[in-house]
Amino acid sequence: MSRSEPQQPATGTIITDPVRYPTSASAPVRTKRGFALVLMTLLVPGSAQIVAGDRKLGRIALRVTLTAWALLAVTLLLLAVNRSLLINILTNQFASLVIILVLVALALGWACLFINTLRLIRPVLLAPAARPAVGIAMFLALVLSSGTLGYAAYLLNVSRNAIGSIFAGGPAIDPVDGRYNFLMMGGDAGDDRTGRRPDSLSVLSVDAKTGQTAIISVPRNLQNAQFSEGSPMREIYPDGYDCGDACLINAINTEVTNEHADLYPGVADPGAQATLEAVSGTLGITVQAYVLVDMDGFAKLIDAMGGIRIKAGGWVPMSGYFDEVTRTHGMPLGWIPAGEQTLDGDRALWYGRSREFVDDYARIQRQQCVQQAMLKQLDPATLVSKFEDIASAGTKVVDSNISSSQLGSFVDLAMKAKGQEVKRLTIGPPDFDASFSTVPDFDIIHEKVDQLLASASGQPQAATPVDGILQPAAAGGRLQASSQLPTAAFLAAGGVRAQTAPPSSDFTPVTTTPDGEPITEAMLNQLKREGNEQALRELVATNGQCAPL
């Protein structure tokens, strides 16, 4: 007889415990006993063995169960009082490996208890009609318990591998002036390129306590970018990255990667680091870390999230073949309409990339909107339900020098930032004249950035512009630019546009012509075939307007 089965009483003993001795119990009692033992093993692993089987095994299992409950209580307590510490533990490479091994051991142990419980139930004693029902209950309980623990271990392992692939293992960074500043670069990495050329440069500035966020976009064609103090590139360009029209800020990555990597010994990505230093010096702030997204793989990340939802101000072309001789595009591959849209990865990529019929600054506004939509819509439910796809996509498209040891703090800040207003600034239209990026005034840029960040930190500001730079809106002091103002409305001082009050989402998508005729894809394509570029530019002029939904 198995040690897990109770010994039969001596001859003559009256059997009064049908749970421990089911042989003489009635069929209905045996059925109830079977379901009860399954439920006991599910809710309090080891309790079934205490009452109906090997008590020694039951006591060991109960000790493990109580220890697991205690650890779960500590986890919930940390979630409530120190969420960042909990996330740091879960994202630490060694700690996460230990947790994975513990979860696997618990899953296997729990499964063994269910097998032992099935032997205690003794299905041969059950009525034929009850056997399938008890068997199904046992299977469901096994999936709910061991299956859940096993899947949790699998997801944690996926997360551990993704973190190891994306994030650095270097030292942690400290906030500067109470803020963390991250450079977000979107670039193309092709077989014909050494390193990525960042066509999208944005600084995500986050208050270290409140999570209040500001996005500062730097146009890729900004000239004479200033390198920060201590940058090795100041030895080569002491007066800024000024070597003519070819010295645009987005060319720094490639030049440093190809020609000056020796200036950055021990740095994993010299080009990205040099670009970070150029953005720091240009904006007059300290940018502590970067996140580089390969735009060719960006669509996979959007698809993994299930798409993004936006309100588009105007129609956006998915541009066709570009003729280098005539400097014109062929027929669009398609159009993204104005109004509320759910974009999959491919269309979201086009939405952030397209600049046909408009300028780079309309594209920058759309890129800001896509970033905000991703932050807004990556909620816990989406993260949990699509975690594996998101993590897998992330390892293919994201690179960063952020230390993995600080992920807990930064995830906690991201949770605080959700639902808060994101303030925005572009070093170009609508906040500066279009020519400003060619001959930038860095004193004006620094002043405007300082005022933006002061507003994003909740600091009081004057109600009037400082040298014609910034003017808080009436509602809540929000710094907001209207993309609907004509170019003539720019202020003379520094070519800086006056600020207006309407929030960025307060616009009406342009879906009709000035005559009231609905704009359609067929209409736009017909104008393209006719070569009426001016009419197209007028109809899609508002496609820089965008708001996340």
Side-chain angles (χ1 to χ4, degrees):
M1 181 177 291
S2 173
R3 291 183 57 212
S4 64
E5 297 180 12
Q7 299 293 324
Q8 293 295 327
T11 304
T13 302
I14 300 176
I15 300 175
T16 59
D17 184 0
V19 175
R20 197 161 191 84
Y21 307 111
T23 305
S24 60
S26 64
V29 170
R30 291 174 185 170
T31 301
K32 292 178 181 178
R33 172 183 177 274
F35 283 113
L37 293 178
V38 171
L39 188 62
M40 291 171 69
T41 304
L42 175 64
L43 299 180
V44 187
S47 59
Q49 283 68 34
I50 291 290
V51 302
D54 187 336
R55 290 192 174 98
K56 182 178 180 180
L57 174 62
R59 285 192 292 269
I60 294 173
L62 275 179
R63 292 190 189 102
V64 174
T65 298
L66 294 175
T67 302
W69 284 355
L71 291 174
L72 179 60
V74 171
T75 301
L76 295 175
L77 180 63
L78 284 177
L79 182 63
V81 302
N82 198 338
R83 184 169 51 193
S84 61
L85 174 59
L86 175 62
I87 298 173
N88 278 331
I89 293 172
L90 293 176
T91 55
N92 179 272
Q93 292 290 287
F94 177 76
S96 60
L97 178 60
V98 171
I99 295 172
I100 290 169
L101 295 176
V102 169
L103 289 175
V104 171
L106 289 175
L108 293 175
W110 212 342
C112 290
L113 285 179
F114 273 111
I115 294 173
N116 183 265
T117 299
L118 183 62
R119 296 178 65 186
L120 294 178
I121 292 172
R122 299 173 68 180
V124 294
L125 296 179
L126 299 176
R131 292 171 190 169
V134 173
I136 292 173
M138 177 73 73
F139 174 77
L140 293 177
L142 184 61
V143 170
L144 187 60
S145 55
S146 294
T148 299
L149 289 180
Y151 189 61
Y154 170 73
L155 290 182
L156 188 55
N157 188 55
V158 170
S159 172
R160 181 175 181 273
N161 291 336
I163 290 169
S165 299
I166 296 173
F167 296 101
I173 58 177
D174 296 318
V176 175
D177 297 327
R179 303 190 72 84
Y180 290 107
N181 300 313
F182 306 99
L183 175 60
M184 315 292 291
M185 294 182 282
D188 295 320
D191 294 335
D192 58 339
R193 294 176 181 167
T194 302
R196 295 180 178 93
R197 181 190 66 196
D199 286 338
S200 170
L201 297 168
S202 297
V203 171
L204 196 68
S205 181
V206 186
D207 188 283
K209 292 183 179 179
T210 67
Q212 287 184 308
T213 304
I215 297 177
I216 308 169
S217 293
V218 179
R220 69 191 182 103
N221 62 346
L222 183 125
Q223 297 186 26
N224 198 32
Q226 304 293 297
F227 291 99
S228 58
E229 292 287 342
S231 170
M233 288 298 288
R234 285 178 71 96
E235 300 175 12
I236 301 174
Y237 298 103
D239 299 321
Y241 191 55
D242 186 7
C243 57
D245 293 341
C247 273
L248 308 180
I249 194 170
N250 78 326
I252 293 173
N253 192 310
T254 301
E255 178 175 331
V256 172
T257 300
N258 293 343
E259 301 176 22
H260 307 300
D262 58 307
L263 296 178
Y264 294 87
V267 176
D269 192 334
Q273 179 62 31
T275 304
L276 179 150
E277 293 164 356
V279 172
S280 292
T282 296
L283 299 181
I285 60 177
T286 300
V287 181
Q288 299 107 314
Y290 67 81
V291 176
L292 201 157
V293 178
D294 177 9
M295 299 306 288
D296 281 335
F298 180 70
K300 298 177 182 177
L301 192 58
I302 297 289
D303 284 335
M305 290 176 56
I308 56 171
R309 299 179 301 280
I310 61 161
K311 182 171 80 169
W315 286 66
V316 175
M318 300 166 64
S319 301
Y321 171 76
F322 184 72
D323 190 321
E324 293 288 349
V325 177
T326 63
R327 308 300 295 174
T328 59
H329 289 276
M331 285 295 295
L333 305 175
W335 292 83
I336 300 172
E340 295 187 1
Q341 304 291 332
T342 297
L343 305 179
D344 61 14
D346 186 57
R347 286 162 65 84
L349 182 59
W350 268 114
Y351 190 75
R353 264 183 169 174
S354 176
R355 62 177 182 271
E356 189 178 1
F357 310 123
V358 293
D359 56 26
D360 261 341
Y361 304 105
R363 180 173 76 161
I364 287 174
Q365 289 177 279
R366 284 185 258 114
Q367 288 171 350
Q368 288 178 336
C369 182
V370 169
Q371 291 170 355
Q372 291 183 70
M374 292 181 67
L375 291 172
K376 182 177 181 180
Q377 293 161 33
L378 192 59
D379 52 41
T382 301
L383 185 60
V384 170
S385 62
K386 302 179 182 296
F387 181 81
E388 183 179 359
D389 291 337
I390 291 173
S392 176
T395 59
K396 294 180 177 65
V397 303
V398 180
D399 185 24
S400 177
N401 67 344
I402 294 175
S403 172
S404 59
S405 66
Q406 284 189 286
L407 286 181
S409 301
F410 295 148
V411 171
D412 191 44
L413 277 180
M415 293 179 178
K416 291 179 181 178
K418 287 186 67 66
Q420 297 194 52
E421 185 179 49
V422 177
K423 302 179 186 297
R424 298 190 289 177
L425 171 67
T426 300
I427 312 304
D431 300 308
F432 291 85
D433 187 277
S435 63
F436 187 80
S437 61
T438 304
V439 285
D441 185 320
F442 295 101
D443 289 337
I444 290 180
I445 292 176
H446 297 173
E447 188 74 25
K448 196 166 187 181
V449 168
D450 288 345
Q451 291 196 17
L452 176 78
L453 298 186
S455 171
S457 296
Q459 299 177 18
Q461 297 187 70
T464 57
V466 178
D467 295 331
I469 296 169
L470 276 180
Q471 181 176 352
R478 175 188 171 100
L479 303 174
Q480 176 59 47
S482 170
S483 58
Q484 302 182 46
L485 294 179
T487 303
F490 280 92
L491 298 180
V496 182
R497 186 189 294 275
Q499 307 300 306
T500 57
S504 60
S505 60
D506 187 19
F507 63 84
T508 301
V510 176
T511 57
T512 63
T513 67
D515 297 331
E517 182 181 357
I519 298 174
T520 64
E521 184 170 341
M523 173 193 293
L524 298 172
N525 285 339
Q526 182 60 33
L527 290 173
K528 177 67 176 178
R529 279 189 288 268
E530 294 171 357
N532 195 343
E533 300 276 323
Q534 181 59 36
L536 282 170
R537 283 192 289 271
E538 292 174 358
L539 289 180
V540 305
T542 58
N543 76 13
Q545 295 178 329
C546 176
L549 296 177

